[in-house]
């Protein structure tokens, strides 16, 4: 049919598959981060989160980064932000 592009369709499927793989990886990363943070003091956990956040932030500065890698690093930063926020809320309750 007019307007149907097999190539575009394949790119779309590939992107969906790449996004799915990245999301699976991000879920594992989040679980690993949670496990790591449970074994650290609050201060060490904050430092660890901040280093991870900065690592992804610095990766985003690379010019040759693909869209899927940008997505990955932005999501890592979001996970770190949420974890840090959670730690802050938990710390306030212990004061």
């Amino acid at each position: 049919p007019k307007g149907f592009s097999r190539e575009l369709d394949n790119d779309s499927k590939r992107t969906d598959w790449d996004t799915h793989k990245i999301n699976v990886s991000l879920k594992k990363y989040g679980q690993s981060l949670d496990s790591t943070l449970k074994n650290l003091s609050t201060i060490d956990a904050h430092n660890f989160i901040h280093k991870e956040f900065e690592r992804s932030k610095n990766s985003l500065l690379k010019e040759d980064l693909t869209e899927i890698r940008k997505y990955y690093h932005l999501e890592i930063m979001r996970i770190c932000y949420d974890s840090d926020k959670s730690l802050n809320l938990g710390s306030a309750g212990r004061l």
Side-chain angles (χ1 to χ4, degrees), residues 11-60:
D11 286 345
S12 177
K13 286 180 183 175
R14 185 185 46 159
T15 300
D16 289 345
W17 178 243
D18 289 344
T19 302
H20 172 73
K21 290 189 300 187
I22 291 296
N23 286 337
V24 169
S25 179
L26 288 166
K27 183 176 180 179
K28 289 178 184 177
Y29 176 87
Q31 292 168 341
S32 177
L33 181 64
D34 287 343
S35 177
T36 299
L37 297 179
K38 287 178 184 174
N39 293 312
L40 298 173
S41 70
T42 303
I43 292 171
D44 289 339
H46 277 291
N47 288 337
F48 184 80
I49 291 170
H50 292 206
K51 285 179 186 176
E52 287 294 294
F53 184 93
E54 285 297 319
R55 182 182 61 82
S56 282
K57 183 178 170 185
N58 290 334
S59 293
L60 286 171

Side-chain angles (χ1 to χ4, degrees), residues 18-19 22 26 55-57 59-62 64-77:
D18 289 344
T19 302
I22 291 296
L26 288 166
R55 182 182 61 82
S56 282
K57 183 178 170 185
S59 293
L60 286 171
L61 299 175
K62 296 178 182 175
D64 60 342
L65 209 60
T66 64
E67 288 300 314
I68 199 72
R69 287 191 183 269
K70 287 178 187 176
Y71 171 74
Y72 176 80
H73 288 293
L74 288 169
E75 285 299 302
I76 292 291
M77 291 170 68

